[in-house]
Amino acid sequence: MAQTQTSGTITTDEQQIQRLMEEWRRLTAEGDLDGLLALLSDDVVFLTPGNPPIKKNDFAKGFREVAAKARIQATQDVKEIRVSGALATAWSHLTVALTPREGGKTTEASGYVLTVFHRSPAGKWLLARDANLVAGAGNPNRV
């Protein structure tokens, strides 16, 4: 297990990635697009069912559309995180609940996600690739 020095404390890369994933869920719930974009590599690619690959700008547009219509809550059961040098993978089971801002029934979808992270030259882990198999992922019209 690789270790990294951060703010005077030793934490493992796996713990840093776990915190990044927690931060992702928190920022999503808060609707904080700028915060989410800061966790992405510039060349990030999202793969979602039935959609062409989604790049960073496409992600931002879709997130804005969904967050304007609904509150987003996610729960995630991380099954595994593996680190090898400057790359890491994580797979998990993700459940996303969307509650319309104008009122109405909360909808929920769940599925598996495989995420690839890379360590930036500054030593920060960033989300680089994400294969999201949750039904409706990548479709801002699902709300």
Side-chain angles (χ1 to χ4, degrees), residues 2-101:
Q3 293 190 338
T4 305
Q5 184 81 22
T6 308
S7 303
T9 62
I10 303 288
T11 60
T12 66
D13 289 326
E14 291 89 349
Q15 289 170 330
Q16 290 176 32
I17 291 165
Q18 182 75 36
R19 283 195 299 271
L20 185 153
M21 295 170 82
E22 291 166 4
E23 181 78 351
W24 182 272
R25 291 189 304 275
R26 182 185 67 75
L27 293 168
T28 297
E30 292 173 0
D32 185 346
L33 178 58
D34 290 335
L36 291 171
L37 293 175
L39 300 178
L40 301 176
S41 66
D42 288 337
D43 66 345
V44 69
V45 176
F46 293 91
L47 304 173
T48 59
N51 298 302
I54 297 168
K55 303 288 181 131
K56 195 171 191 175
N57 288 338
D58 301 319
F59 167 80
K61 181 179 183 284
F63 184 83
R64 271 190 217 96
E65 290 177 25
V66 172
K69 296 185 231 175
R71 288 186 312 278
I72 308 165
Q73 288 293 133
T75 56
Q76 191 169 22
D77 180 13
V78 178
K79 304 293 187 180
E80 176 182 75
I81 296 173
R82 290 198 177 185
V83 177
S84 180
L87 289 176
T89 60
W91 73 276
S92 59
H93 189 264
L94 179 68
T95 301
V96 178
L98 300 174
T99 303
R101 293 190 183 280

Side-chain angles (χ1 to χ4, degrees), residues 4-5 118-126:
T4 305
Q5 184 81 22
H118 81 82
R119 191 187 337 254
S120 72
K124 178 180 177 185
W125 286 103
L126 298 170

